[in-house]
Amino acid sequence: MPSRMLTVEGRRDVHEKVSVWKRAGLRVGFVPTMGALHEGHLELVRQALRENDRVVASIFVNPLQFGPNEDFTRYPRTLDVDSRMLDSVGCHAVYLPQVEEMYPSGADTHVVQEVAPKYLCGEFRPGHFTGVLTVVAKLIAQVAPHVLYLGRKDFQQVVAITRMVRHLDLDLELEVRACATVREPDGLALSSRNRYLTPEERTVAPTIKRALDAVVAKFAAGEHRVDVLEAHGRLVLDAASAFRIQYLQVVDSETCTPRVLGNAIALRTDTVAVAAYLGSTRLIDNVPLTGS
Ligand code: PAF
């Protein structure tokens, strides 16, 4: 079947197209991605299609959010397959900016946030959230949608972006929707990086979700001491003898601030988040303490 989806490469073109839709009274949803799409991205597009008249997705592997020793060059680039996937679910347009379009030489402004980026991944990936927030702020300005769709798997990213757009911060005129994490039947959260896993690693990877579930179950059973909950989750991961844990922490769901002091008590509104290497692949996941 011939493609119905529009492909746009220039920022002015995407802005113009969306402006035409908005002038016609249409509501526009936007799904930013780095490509290597999977069912989790498609669910974001489907939700955006249910809630809007037009949906734009972007694909841009953002160099600014990768550290010097991270996987920018080997990050999977699967543009043809991605375009077919977006088209197959009915996405109206895909925006494919080039690096020179996004960061022309002389570009001199970055979005630096103070609180959420300090913790969790921010401790291990300096500059990562400045890269994410800068590109997302630019994409929002370029596309100018009504609603932005993000996956909850990237919990800290959702927190940082939600705080960036709110009235206290940059006052960006749009709503942010955080959509449920999509998982494999064995619990592994879908991620573009799962394709790096060897078959052996893939069999162990669902332990991450089991560790999170174990923390949630212990909390539900009445254990609210943060250090005990975190130790319990780490024990589950350690038992697999395969993970190099970066963090497994109970944090405030609005700010990502860890509950670390003395006899800290976990709250029902908190989130338990984890990042761990399995071989050379870094996996992240999270669940609210009330479970999901
Ligand atoms: O989640 C991602 O894929 C990226 O961090 C995003 C939001 C597209 C910004 O580059």
Side-chain angles (χ1 to χ4, degrees):
M1 207 167 69
S3 168
R4 289 159 301 159
M5 187 176 64
L6 190 71
T7 300
V8 198
E9 293 191 355
R11 73 192 148 85
R12 290 210 175 80
D13 298 332
V14 75
H15 198 82
E16 177 53 24
K17 187 71 211 170
V18 172
S19 302
V20 169
W21 286 335
K22 285 162 79 176
R23 280 199 296 274
L26 300 176
R27 186 176 158 89
V28 182
F30 175 47
V31 182
T33 83
M34 297 207 301
L37 301 184
H38 49 67
E39 194 52 32
H41 296 109
L42 296 187
E43 268 308 300
L44 298 180
V45 175
R46 289 189 193 104
Q47 180 161 345
L49 285 165
R50 284 195 295 276
E51 296 175 357
N52 299 275
D53 305 300
R54 294 289 182 272
V55 174
V56 181
S58 64
I59 299 178
F60 178 63
V61 185
N62 174 31
L64 215 60
Q65 69 188 74
F66 290 81
N69 301 317
E70 294 185 349
D71 56 347
F72 174 66
T73 45
R74 79 162 176 146
Y75 198 83
R77 283 143 172 103
T78 54
L79 189 52
D80 289 347
V81 179
D82 292 347
S83 296
R84 282 199 292 277
M85 287 168 79
L86 290 172
D87 194 28
S88 73
V89 292
C91 186
H92 296 94
V94 61
Y95 173 39
L96 306 172
Q98 299 300 306
V99 174
E100 311 75 55
E101 175 87 337
M102 194 58 77
Y103 303 119
S105 75
D108 196 28
T109 301
H110 293 134
V111 179
V112 180
Q113 194 177 86
E114 297 297 333
V115 177
K118 268 213 293 246
Y119 306 109
L120 303 177
C121 294
E123 284 190 43
F124 299 90
R125 305 187 69 188
H128 169 69
F129 288 103
T130 296
V132 170
L133 294 174
T134 302
V135 81
V136 172
K138 290 188 70 123
L139 287 166
I140 290 171
Q142 293 167 356
V143 178
H146 295 100
V147 195
L148 178 73
Y149 290 83
L150 299 169
R152 280 217 188 100
K153 205 262 295 164
D154 297 309
F155 155 72
Q156 191 171 12
Q157 170 170 285
V158 171
V159 172
I161 293 172
T162 304
R163 289 168 72 82
M164 172 179 77
V165 308
R166 69 187 177 160
H167 172 55
L168 281 176
D169 290 61
L170 296 193
D171 263 328
L172 302 180
E173 276 292 321
L174 87 166
E175 292 166 40
V176 177
R177 291 262 197 290
C179 307
T181 302
V182 179
R183 299 182 180 282
E184 300 283 5
D186 60 12
L188 178 64
L190 296 196
S191 162
S192 305
R193 290 185 169 100
N194 290 353
R195 63 189 80 193
Y196 298 155
L197 297 170
T198 64
E200 296 74 35
E201 289 165 353
R202 174 63 191 81
T203 59
V204 191
T207 312
I208 295 221
K209 177 63 163 51
R210 284 202 288 277
L212 295 173
D213 288 345
V215 175
V216 171
K218 208 163 179 63
F219 178 79
E223 177 57 79
H224 290 187
R225 288 169 299 172
V226 167
D227 53 347
V228 176
L229 290 168
E230 292 179 350
H232 186 63
R234 286 203 191 97
L235 212 64
V236 176
L237 278 183
D238 286 341
S241 306
F243 294 97
R244 192 153 48 81
I245 304 173
Q246 284 194 324
Y247 60 78
L248 187 151
Q249 278 183 308
V250 175
V251 298
D252 179 309
S253 303
E254 305 278 304
T255 61
C256 298
T257 314
R259 301 221 181 268
V260 284
L261 294 177
N263 308 318
I265 292 299
L267 305 179
R268 281 181 58 74
T269 49
D270 286 349
T271 293
V272 54
V274 61
Y277 272 96
L278 190 48
S280 61
T281 306
R282 186 175 182 275
L283 299 172
I284 59 171
D285 202 349
N286 70 91
V287 288
L289 265 191
T290 42
S292 70

